[in-house]
Amino acid sequence: MGSNRPLLMTVPSPTTTSSTSIDPELPKSKSSSSNNAFNPFENTLNNSSSSRRSSGSRSNNSIHEVSLSSSGSIKSKPVRYGSKGGADSEGLSMSQRELRDEDARLVYINEPFKTNEAFEFAANSIRTSKYSLLTFIPRNLFEQFHRVAYVYFLIIAILNQLPQLAVFGRTVSILPLAFVLFVTAVKDVYEDWRRHQNDKVENNRLASVMVDGGRSFVEKKWRDVRVGEVIKIKANETIPCDTVLLSTSDPTGVAYVQTINLDGESNLKTRYAKQETHGKEGFGGVIKCEKPNRNIYGFLANMEVDGKKLSLGSSNIVLRGCELKNTSWAIGVAVYCGSETKAMLNNSGAPSKRSRLETCMNSEIIWLSFFLVALCTVTSVCVAVWLKRHKDELNLLPYYRKLDFSEGDVDSYEYYGWGLEIFFTFLMSVIVFQVMIPISLYISMELVRVGQAYFMFQDKRMYDEATKSRFQCRALNINEDLGQIKYVFSDKTGTLTQNKMEFQCASIWGVDYSSKENNSMERDEVVEHSVKVDGKVFRPKMKVKVNPELLQLSRSGLQNVEGKRIHDFFLAMATCNTIVPLVVDTPDPDVKLIDYQGESPDEQALAYAAAAYGFMLTERTSGHIVIDIHGQRQKFNVLGLHEFDSDRKRMSVILGYPDNSVKVFVKGADTSMLNVIDKSFKMDLVRATEAHLHSYSSMGLRTLVIGMRDLNASEFEQWHGSFEAASTAVFGRAVMLHKVSSIVENNLTILGASAIEDKLQQCVPESIESLRIAGIKVWVLTGDKQETAISIGYSSKLLTSNMTQIIINSKNRESCRKSLQDALVMSKKLMSTSDVANNAGGSSHATPVALIIDGTSLVHILDSELEEQLFQLASRCSVVLCCRVAPLQKAGIVALVKNRTSDLTLAIGDGANDVSMIQMADVGVGISGQEGRQAVMASDFAMGQFRFLVPLLLIHGHWNYQRLGYMILYNFYRNAVLVLVLFWAFFDAAGTGLFWLLLLGIIVAALLPRLVVRFVYQYYFPNDIQICREAEKIGYERVVESGHIEMLPI
């Protein structure tokens, strides 16, 4: 069970700390904290609000890492990608400081005219289109004339309008350019028309807005909603704007929302209305909130109602694009509308993308233009010499005589003099030789791209059977860029993983129930636990494999010590979460399914596992939960809940038992849980649990440690008073709640550990390995916790055991600077050590380095002088893993590479939180999975699985680039031959047999490159290892009888 990974490496001085986060607001308890009688049921506290994901972490003893972090006070700074972009970008300071008037906006509840009397707040209409009727023509022409060739042909067409230079018809000279511009404009109009239609549908959706002082609601179009108006949202409706909750259909003010359109997560989140506004018929008061910003994870505000000042946090606001679920209705007040909503501020807009090949063509066309000018100059000089020699013969010479004898009367042709004749000859030569830069090439390129898109669309290797979706080519103008990608930026959840967690094994009281020694895993069986209530059968929606031995022990109940420990372990799994059980109908009316909905897939997996072992969560309210334990329904009062945060790395629930006893169940990362165990706890059990955690981590599983303790009356009263005071504090709430949690989260008894597998998509490790061998760097940018991201990194083979990990978790700019400097020194030392080993004849492989950095550190790095240091460090690393990053920070990381290197970048994701990254990259790929279609709509290409990147880049990308490159070179070569023939004809060959012989030579010369490529290059220069290897994978025969390697036809 031991791991062969090297031991932990540490760097002196800095210590590991985690980014801090704002604890969500807790509803005020209806009971009084001054009650001296110890009765947990009378002092029941409401549930707290939404949490961060309660996920496990990998054992840090099993990885080879360098941790670079330091603590310090958070300083907010106004930056574009960094500030207020991280998951916890403001840290504790947000809850400690009061909003200054210059940094805040005032929102008068149900008084929109008073709120926006200065007309400074945006309306709720949105616009994602690029053009309007007034801006389309100038903007579209500006974008099209980025092609230098179009400027060239425009100059040619203008010259041809002059009578002295009219080599071709005036109208004919304009038609080719006008046709190309028109076709491209029609395509752009169609694409933007679709955006306009989507905007129109969105803006014309209906919302219920309060009128007549709260006596009724009327339907109003979204675009007409204003800041300060009170809105009513019904079940399954989309939130029209960023709204602070005032009341809900739940008696305790709870509302459940789905944020799939915002952050790509389909799990339900809990939001809360303040008790002071919940249930009221009329609403009034004023909200003082921060100005619009991009931070979707935080919200700083306070509300004054009936002379009482209340604090508001991220748990009290629902953002535009979220959907209300499992709640009949919710009422809230609009605080941000339209372009000021957090969702729209994180939308960077649809950029205009041009392929790298077209950019190179612009420079080539400039060089060809210089060559063309040289030819025309030579022609003009020769004309000047010829005019000087024949100046006395011009009256009678054919083609250039001054006198016209055709009408009987002698007339004079217009002759402009020697200087102007030379100048006009130069311009006419430009018109005659214009085919040096072919306008037909651009039309040919578009036709070729259409064919390439058809080949990609028809490729069965990129057809996803699960979703029945084919590959989509949404941007035809960058097909060839697929063959030049050097950096791949990938989301994690839903892109690398299926976002489906499965409970695998458990360690309870030092006993490992994965039982690999006796191969009992092969005997694991799927057991369907069910409960019969009122003649109807209720069973969990998801089936879980169980260990028969552990299942048998769980059924023994409290009859023995071992059974009691297992009972407490599974009770903690069933209760220490924010899961909401929902009843789902089946075709059989007597059978109902219980669907567990929660903010974290980890919590769902643990709840389903507990149900499979007989501990089924059947009911949850803000005050109690009901657990069916092997057929016996037991009700527990929820006296308090401390949500998971990235500082504590654990969560806890305080339960009141029917016998008036109180217990605390805690679960969290091993690094945080093992520090708060009871000092008298048996150390041999701790060591056994640590060994099991190490074993689970080495298999790439996500681990959690579970503990508990009993609370006596005095401890409960101490905690209860502090908890109620902290949950209702206006300022410093996060710090106070953090301190209160330490009252109960100590002296714990370790019950055991759980291991969950985050199922990867098919062939993800193999795909990453293929991309890495091809010389493509893969970076992962995720909003998940650091421990979760590292765990998936090992599962996907992105991280390996021989990598040195450099971890940067810093909370201010100075600590970021020091961490980056230390990391640069460390990476340089590792590179120099590898060079010395190579020179000494040792291993030729350099020590791979992995950089792991969190969103809080990026707040202080992006858009600052530290960016350059981060890029230098990242360029030396084989892998970069960014955790807890906000949508705009993902775009900032892509921009970091784009602005400092000429390499092409590709971003791939599946959720709305990946849109900014997809649009920022040179090539954007959307996964058409389960997380909405925002990523697909914003992407250049769309497909069903991450593994399709391998054939897309290494096969189609290669051939797209090579074929289009050959076609461009061939067109330039062919037209250059034609122009040189015309140039020669200027002198002596025009109208002679030699001229036609030269035209025949053009045909032969035009065919020569094709013959060279077909019969020489393909056999004797197979230097593209990627395409050879990938062609072998798909079964193409490439070895001919002569022994030469034959590549696929071009």
Side-chain angles (χ1 to χ4, degrees):
M1 288 172 54
S3 172
N4 56 4
R5 296 180 188 161
L7 296 177
L8 177 71
M9 284 180 56
T10 58
V11 174
S13 113
T15 57
T16 304
T17 59
S18 299
S19 60
T20 57
S21 67
I22 304 166
D23 284 282
E25 172 70 13
L26 291 157
K28 183 179 178 181
S29 173
K30 296 180 180 179
S31 62
S32 172
S33 61
S34 61
N35 190 352
N36 294 326
F38 174 60
N39 190 336
F41 301 102
E42 293 180 2
N43 290 284
T44 299
L45 296 178
N46 293 328
N47 251 349
S48 63
S49 63
S50 70
S51 67
R52 301 280 185 244
R53 291 189 170 192
S54 178
S55 304
S57 70
R58 148 183 320 274
S59 174
N60 283 344
N61 293 328
S62 65
I63 60 177
H64 183 82
E65 70 177 16
V66 179
S67 180
L68 298 170
S69 63
S70 57
S71 60
S73 60
I74 302 291
K75 297 179 181 179
S76 61
K77 64 188 188 76
V79 291
R80 194 167 59 254
Y81 292 113
S83 179
K84 299 183 181 179
D88 307 297
S89 61
E90 291 295 321
L92 297 177
S93 62
M94 284 186 66
S95 62
Q96 297 181 63
R97 63 182 173 87
E98 185 173 2
L99 276 172
R100 295 178 299 178
D101 291 339
E102 59 269 24
D103 296 331
R105 66 162 51 178
L106 294 179
V107 178
Y108 296 92
I109 301 175
N110 206 21
E111 297 185 60
F113 295 105
K114 184 177 179 181
T115 299
N116 198 20
E117 59 185 358
F119 301 101
E120 57 182 336
F121 301 152
N124 200 41
S125 61
I126 64 167
R127 178 184 169 188
T128 61
S129 56
K130 292 171 60 177
Y131 308 112
S132 66
L133 290 176
L134 294 178
T135 63
F136 173 73
I137 293 179
R139 184 172 179 181
N140 187 260
L141 289 177
F142 176 77
E143 290 179 356
Q144 290 200 56
F145 277 100
H146 274 82
R147 291 175 168 174
V148 177
Y150 286 6
V151 178
Y152 168 79
F153 288 115
L154 178 63
I155 295 173
I156 296 295
I158 293 173
L159 291 177
N160 209 61
Q161 302 307 306
L162 301 177
Q164 298 85 351
L165 307 175
V167 178
F168 309 109
R170 297 180 181 180
T171 305
V172 174
S173 63
I174 298 176
L175 286 179
L177 178 61
F179 177 75
V180 173
L181 292 175
F182 176 75
V183 171
T184 306
V186 168
K187 183 192 73 171
D188 293 340
V189 163
Y190 174 71
E191 292 178 352
D192 206 57
W193 175 80
R194 291 172 59 186
R195 297 190 191 100
H196 274 285
Q197 291 300 111
N198 293 334
D199 292 345
K200 185 177 180 180
V201 170
E202 189 79 0
N203 291 328
N204 288 332
R205 297 172 74 171
L206 298 177
S208 297
V209 178
M210 179 178 287
V211 295
D212 298 332
R215 288 188 292 271
S216 62
F217 288 87
V218 298
E219 287 191 341
K220 201 174 187 180
K221 292 183 178 180
W222 277 22
R223 66 187 181 194
D224 299 325
V225 174
R226 297 293 182 265
V227 174
E229 289 187 322
V230 176
I231 305 167
K232 184 175 183 178
I233 307 106
K234 298 179 182 178
N236 300 319
E237 287 186 349
T238 304
I239 312 299
C241 54
D242 293 354
T243 306
V244 169
L245 285 180
L246 299 175
S247 183
T248 72
S249 59
D250 187 89
T252 59
V254 179
Y256 301 98
V257 296
Q258 190 177 64
T259 61
I260 189 171
N261 293 328
L262 189 66
D263 57 15
E265 297 182 1
S266 57
N267 306 306
L268 295 185
K269 309 288 192 301
T270 50
R271 297 292 182 264
Y272 292 87
K274 303 297 289 188
Q275 294 298 311
E276 287 76 6
T277 61
H278 178 59
K280 285 189 174 183
E281 294 184 0
F283 298 99
V286 60
I287 295 176
K288 186 179 181 181
C289 60
E290 58 188 346
K291 290 184 178 180
N293 60 70
R294 299 183 177 101
N295 185 9
I296 65 173
Y297 298 104
F299 176 64
L300 178 62
N302 55 66
M303 178 168 56
E304 193 169 329
V305 179
D306 298 331
K308 187 175 182 180
K309 201 169 188 178
L310 309 170
S311 65
L312 297 175
S314 57
S315 63
N316 306 117
I317 187 173
V318 287
L319 305 182
R320 180 187 178 115
C322 300
E323 292 184 7
L324 189 67
K325 297 289 185 180
N326 305 327
T327 307
S328 299
W329 53 264
I331 296 177
V333 56
V335 290
Y336 305 123
C337 288
S339 60
E340 294 179 341
T341 58
K342 295 179 182 290
M344 293 305 297
L345 288 174
N346 273 282
N347 184 0
S348 57
S352 299
K353 295 184 179 181
R354 289 184 296 276
S355 73
R356 181 64 55 86
L357 201 58
E358 283 193 15
T359 305
C360 294
M361 279 178 59
N362 285 342
S363 59
E364 296 298 327
I365 287 173
I366 292 174
W367 283 109
L368 286 174
S369 300
F370 287 133
F371 181 69
L372 180 63
V373 169
L375 288 181
C376 296
T377 302
V378 171
T379 303
S380 301
V381 170
C382 293
V383 167
V385 173
W386 185 85
L387 288 174
K388 279 291 185 183
R389 289 181 177 178
H390 301 83
K391 61 181 179 179
D392 298 329
E393 307 172 18
L394 294 180
N395 288 338
L396 300 175
L397 279 178
Y399 308 113
Y400 223 100
R401 60 191 179 206
K402 293 181 181 180
L403 302 179
D404 182 11
F405 299 94
S406 60
E407 300 296 334
D409 297 331
V410 178
D411 194 8
S412 296
Y413 285 110
E414 187 172 0
Y415 182 73
Y416 300 99
W418 183 75
L420 284 178
E421 287 292 332
I422 295 172
F423 177 69
F424 289 148
T425 301
F426 176 85
L427 296 180
M428 283 189 289
S429 301
V430 171
I431 297 174
V432 172
F433 296 153
Q434 64 175 306
V435 290
M436 175 67 77
I437 303 171
I439 193 171
S440 61
L441 174 60
Y442 288 95
I443 300 176
S444 302
M445 288 174 63
E446 295 299 330
L447 293 176
V448 169
R449 284 166 173 161
V450 170
Q452 292 172 347
Y454 174 78
F455 291 144
M456 291 187 287
F457 175 78
Q458 291 293 330
D459 192 344
K460 295 181 179 179
R461 290 167 304 209
M462 296 192 293
Y463 176 76
D464 186 23
E465 290 286 350
T467 59
K468 305 297 181 183
S469 60
R470 290 185 177 273
F471 179 85
Q472 299 179 41
C473 183
R474 300 174 54 84
L476 291 175
N477 59 325
I478 57 174
N479 289 355
E480 61 273 18
D481 282 352
L482 293 170
Q484 306 172 75
I485 300 298
K486 292 297 182 183
Y487 287 87
V488 170
F489 299 90
S490 174
D491 179 40
K492 183 191 73 68
T493 305
T495 303
L496 298 180
T497 68
Q498 303 177 28
N499 202 21
K500 295 179 180 178
M501 310 295 179
E502 289 187 4
F503 180 84
Q504 294 296 324
C505 47
S507 168
I508 304 176
W509 209 259
V511 179
D512 182 9
Y513 287 98
S514 62
S515 304
K516 294 184 289 297
E517 289 82 0
N518 55 18
N519 295 322
S520 67
M521 287 292 287
E522 298 178 1
R523 298 187 289 106
D524 281 2
E525 55 188 37
V526 177
V527 176
E528 263 194 0
H529 181 75
S530 61
V531 176
K532 195 167 185 178
V533 179
D534 298 331
K536 295 185 178 180
V537 177
F538 293 83
R539 60 169 59 104
K541 184 179 180 180
M542 183 182 297
K543 300 178 181 179
V544 178
K545 288 184 178 180
V546 299
N547 183 290
E549 178 188 359
L550 183 57
L551 179 62
Q552 188 63 34
L553 290 171
S554 70
R555 289 172 176 169
S556 64
L558 305 176
Q559 299 175 0
N560 51 56
V561 175
E562 188 176 16
K564 184 178 183 303
R565 292 167 179 169
I566 293 174
H567 177 277
D568 289 339
F569 179 83
F570 285 115
L571 184 61
M573 285 176 52
T575 59
C576 191
N577 53 53
T578 57
I579 291 294
V580 179
L582 305 177
V583 177
V584 180
D585 293 331
T586 65
D588 187 350
D590 294 330
V591 178
K592 305 290 184 180
L593 298 180
I594 296 181
D595 182 13
Y596 290 139
Q597 288 288 335
E599 298 188 15
S600 167
D602 303 69
E603 289 189 339
Q604 291 175 296
L606 292 177
Y608 280 117
Y613 283 97
F615 292 75
M616 183 185 294
L617 173 64
T618 59
E619 181 183 340
R620 175 185 290 275
T621 69
S622 59
H624 71 270
I625 55 177
V626 177
I627 309 291
D628 185 285
I629 303 177
H630 295 292
Q632 296 183 356
R633 290 168 60 86
Q634 295 191 23
K635 180 179 178 180
F636 301 91
N637 278 39
V638 180
L639 307 179
L641 188 67
H642 288 285
E643 300 289 349
F644 182 91
D645 65 58
S646 57
D647 187 25
R648 291 165 35 248
K649 296 184 180 179
R650 56 181 177 263
M651 75 168 293
S652 58
V653 61
I654 296 88
L655 295 183
Y657 278 61
D659 60 358
N660 284 350
S661 63
V662 179
K663 291 185 179 180
V664 181
F665 291 102
V666 187
K667 70 177 180 182
D670 52 357
T671 53
S672 66
M673 290 291 291
L674 297 179
N675 294 330
V676 292
I677 62 174
D678 191 345
K679 302 299 181 184
S680 61
F681 192 70
K682 298 179 181 179
M683 293 308 298
D684 56 335
L685 294 179
V686 175
R687 285 191 288 269
T689 303
E690 286 181 320
H692 298 156
L693 288 167
H694 182 84
S695 174
Y696 300 156
S697 298
S698 64
M699 294 187 292
L701 302 178
R702 301 155 66 114
T703 58
L704 279 174
V705 175
I706 298 174
M708 66 165 289
R709 64 168 291 192
D710 294 321
L711 283 185
N712 57 37
S714 61
E715 290 174 329
F716 175 79
E717 285 299 324
Q718 178 191 0
W719 167 82
H720 177 246
S722 302
F723 181 75
E724 191 171 52
S727 63
T728 57
V730 177
F731 304 110
R733 179 165 40 90
V735 177
M736 294 176 66
L737 284 171
H738 181 83
K739 291 180 179 178
V740 171
S741 66
S742 63
I743 297 176
V744 293
E745 294 177 355
N746 59 67
N747 298 325
L748 300 178
T749 297
I750 296 300
L751 295 175
S754 64
I756 301 171
E757 180 184 8
D758 189 355
K759 302 289 289 184
L760 291 172
Q761 290 189 11
Q762 185 180 356
C763 297
V764 166
E766 295 82 359
S767 300
I768 291 177
E769 183 64 20
S770 293
L771 295 174
R772 184 178 289 168
I773 293 175
I776 299 174
K777 289 188 176 183
V778 180
W779 292 19
V780 175
L781 315 178
T782 177
D784 278 349
K785 304 195 318 294
Q786 181 173 294
E787 294 82 3
T788 304
I790 292 176
S791 174
I792 295 301
Y794 279 107
S795 302
S796 62
K797 301 298 186 291
L798 187 71
L799 299 175
T800 58
S801 58
N802 63 334
M803 283 184 177
T804 299
Q805 295 181 12
I806 297 177
I807 301 178
I808 299 180
N809 296 330
S810 301
K811 296 183 179 180
N812 56 43
R813 182 174 297 186
E814 289 306 316
S815 61
C816 284
R817 180 179 286 106
K818 186 177 187 308
S819 298
L820 287 173
Q821 291 173 352
D822 293 342
L824 285 169
V825 172
M826 176 66 66
S827 62
K828 189 177 297 185
K829 186 183 300 183
L830 291 172
M831 293 178 65
S832 61
T833 303
S834 301
D835 293 339
V836 171
N838 293 341
N839 295 334
S843 175
S844 60
H845 297 287
T847 303
V849 179
L851 172 62
I852 301 169
I853 186 169
D854 68 345
T856 306
S857 302
L858 291 174
V859 167
H860 307 287
I861 294 176
L862 294 180
D863 297 316
S864 72
E865 71 278 3
L866 301 179
E867 269 195 348
E868 186 60 36
Q869 295 183 39
L870 176 62
F871 175 74
Q872 292 177 10
L873 175 61
S875 60
R876 297 176 184 176
C877 297
S878 303
V879 174
V880 176
L881 193 58
C882 300
C883 319
R884 300 300 287 168
V885 289
L888 212 65
Q889 283 183 316
K890 293 184 178 184
I893 293 295
V894 177
L896 179 75
V897 175
K898 278 187 64 177
N899 297 337
R900 288 170 173 79
T901 178
S902 59
D903 296 330
L904 288 184
T905 59
L906 179 145
I908 179 170
D910 71 318
N913 58 326
D914 303 314
V915 168
S916 295
M917 172 179 71
I918 287 172
Q919 292 179 337
M920 175 59 67
D922 295 299
V923 177
V925 178
I927 298 292
S928 52
Q930 303 174 353
E931 307 293 356
R933 290 188 55 82
Q934 281 74 15
V936 172
M937 297 301 293
S939 65
D940 305 306
F941 304 95
M943 55 191 186
Q945 296 281 332
F946 178 85
R947 60 190 172 94
F948 296 159
L949 269 186
V950 174
L952 178 65
L953 300 185
L954 304 188
I955 298 180
H956 290 288
H958 172 87
W959 289 123
N960 292 347
Y961 178 55
Q962 191 179 65
R963 287 166 175 164
L964 207 57
Y966 279 163
M967 190 197 75
I968 293 170
L969 292 175
Y970 173 73
N971 272 268
F972 284 154
Y973 167 82
R974 180 196 62 197
N975 286 31
V977 171
L978 175 60
V979 168
L980 291 175
V981 169
L982 292 175
F983 178 73
W984 176 258
F986 258 55
F987 295 96
D988 196 36
T992 66
L994 179 59
F995 179 75
W996 297 107
L997 183 62
L998 289 174
L999 289 179
L1000 177 63
I1002 293 175
I1003 299 175
V1004 176
L1007 292 175
L1008 187 60
R1010 186 71 181 93
L1011 301 175
V1012 171
V1013 170
R1014 178 66 181 88
F1015 295 105
V1016 179
Y1017 179 81
Q1018 289 188 191
Y1019 284 89
Y1020 296 100
F1021 299 94
N1023 56 355
D1024 197 315
I1025 300 175
Q1026 301 171 20
I1027 193 64
C1028 294
R1029 184 181 68 252
E1030 294 305 322
E1032 286 175 346
K1033 284 184 178 180
I1034 58 178
Y1036 288 136
E1037 186 64 39
R1038 292 167 36 257
V1039 179
V1040 295
E1041 294 181 359
S1042 60
H1044 297 301
I1045 300 177
E1046 180 184 11
M1047 296 181 69
L1048 299 178
I1050 297 173

